[in-house]
Amino acid sequence: MSEEEEPGWEVEPDDEWGVAVIATVGRQLRLRREAVGMRAADFARAVGYSEDMVYKVESGKRIPRPEYLDKADKVLDAGGLLAAMKEDVEKVRYPKKVRALAEVEAKAVELQLYDPLSIHGLLQTPEYARALLMMRRPAYSDTEIERYVTARMARKSVFERDPAPEISFVVEEWILRRPLGGREALRSQLQHLLEAAKLRNVELQVMPMDRQEHAGVDGSIEVLKFADGSAVGRSPALANGRPVEQPKHLRILELRYGTIRAQALTPRESTSFIEHLLGAT
């Protein structure tokens, strides 16, 4: 399958760093190709992509895939110089706002996360994430959906860190019952939650629908704490949803989150609850 037949990704115009990276990579590819005296058409045939795609990559209009850079490095005998650019290019493949979020999550030593509308992104399976993105209005294009799914799955590297951060999730019962994406997608998602709950650094709690008191009525809560003692939080009910770092704002968020956890099922009860739902799905 050619590059044009696959989802092709472009850099977001307001992503200044991304635009600069892709422009530099494209320029290096073109200079290397010209240095060895290879025409674009010949290079396109050698790497298995269209000539038009080669021009788009070299002009910084298209983000090259990792395999494109590997093939280019070999065909142009670059000795690993072109392939070495894959790390920066891989980061640019993700949307700017998702990339920024992942960078913050990667530095946190503790994460406290509550989402009243859907399973948190760090816990989503690709099928569940794709189903959610397909429901957005105005609708995303297929290319945008795949790009966001890929970026969301890449954020899961937070679970693989060593030492691993402490992560706490609170999930609403109604979310676990609604078959977004279909019954099979829900089953897969519930199974994934049970696997995540087994991790020693993860605490997963379910907020039952029969609770008569709920401290999460003001919306989602995110609190990330860092090794130097600093923290950042966010909630739509505080500072218009902007990230906050002031102690007075963080105290409010932690008070709400702590109360939500106290009102929810314990981690052990939550695991049993999810197992019961899985059996009934």
Side-chain angles (χ1 to χ4, degrees):
M1 181 179 289
S2 72
E3 176 85 2
E4 286 191 310
E5 294 174 292
E6 297 179 356
W9 294 345
E10 299 179 0
V11 185
E12 297 168 310
D14 65 341
D15 185 357
E16 295 181 3
W17 180 77
V19 170
V21 167
I22 297 308
T24 299
V25 170
R27 184 165 55 252
Q28 291 301 317
L29 285 165
R30 177 177 58 79
L31 291 174
R32 185 70 189 184
R33 175 177 61 77
E34 292 175 346
V36 299
M38 182 176 286
R39 298 185 309 158
D42 297 330
F43 175 72
R45 284 191 293 271
V47 296
Y49 292 85
S50 70
E51 184 176 356
D52 180 61
M53 183 56 59
V54 169
Y55 282 124
K56 286 180 178 178
V57 169
E58 291 184 352
S59 62
K61 295 180 179 178
R62 211 60 167 267
I63 303 174
R65 298 175 182 275
E67 58 268 24
Y68 183 101
L69 293 174
D70 284 333
K71 291 178 179 179
D73 195 279
K74 184 176 181 180
V75 169
L76 300 177
D77 193 25
L81 294 177
L82 298 178
M85 295 188 291
K86 286 188 296 184
E87 183 176 350
D88 282 338
V89 171
E90 186 67 18
K91 295 176 183 178
V92 175
R93 285 165 65 88
Y94 308 138
K96 180 181 177 181
K97 61 181 181 181
V98 178
R99 189 170 69 235
L101 178 58
E103 290 174 355
V104 175
E105 290 173 343
K107 299 175 182 177
V109 296
E110 182 179 347
L111 298 90
Q112 301 174 340
L113 307 167
Y114 167 68
D115 189 336
L117 300 178
S118 63
I119 293 170
H120 193 276
L122 289 178
L123 291 174
Q124 292 175 11
T125 63
E127 296 77 17
Y128 185 88
R130 186 171 291 106
L132 291 182
L133 290 165
M134 290 178 68
M135 296 173 197
R136 295 289 181 88
R137 294 296 182 272
Y140 287 136
S141 67
D142 290 344
T143 296
E144 289 174 317
I145 289 174
E146 292 310 312
R147 190 180 190 193
Y148 274 108
V149 170
T150 300
R152 192 164 295 181
M153 294 306 105
R155 287 171 56 199
K156 289 178 177 289
S157 61
V158 69
F159 292 105
E160 302 169 1
R161 283 171 42 199
D162 187 16
E166 296 295 323
I167 311 179
S168 167
F169 297 96
V170 180
V171 183
E172 291 287 343
E173 175 188 346
W174 76 268
I175 292 172
L176 303 179
R177 291 185 178 276
R178 176 164 287 179
L180 298 177
R183 292 287 175 184
E184 286 304 313
L186 177 60
R187 283 187 59 82
S188 176
Q189 181 62 73
L190 293 176
Q191 290 170 343
H192 181 68
L193 292 179
L194 291 174
E195 290 300 316
K198 293 178 183 178
L199 298 174
R200 289 186 300 167
N201 63 310
V202 172
E203 286 197 339
L204 176 61
Q205 294 178 252
V206 174
M207 175 66 79
M209 291 190 295
D210 63 4
R211 292 294 192 258
Q212 296 183 16
E213 296 183 348
H214 192 335
V217 294
D218 285 330
S220 61
I221 295 175
E222 295 183 5
V223 177
L224 280 64
K225 300 181 180 180
F226 307 101
D228 62 0
S230 64
V232 62
R234 184 171 58 181
S235 174
L238 195 64
N240 293 320
R242 297 189 302 273
V244 296
E245 300 179 10
Q246 300 91 332
K248 66 176 182 179
H249 288 154
L250 293 171
R251 280 197 298 270
I252 293 173
L253 293 181
E254 292 204 74
L255 173 61
R256 291 177 182 170
Y257 189 76
T259 305
I260 291 172
R261 292 193 64 185
Q263 294 168 336
L265 299 176
T266 67
R268 186 180 296 275
E269 291 170 339
S270 297
T271 297
S272 298
F273 186 85
I274 296 174
E275 289 174 340
H276 174 73
L277 286 180
L278 182 59
T281 302

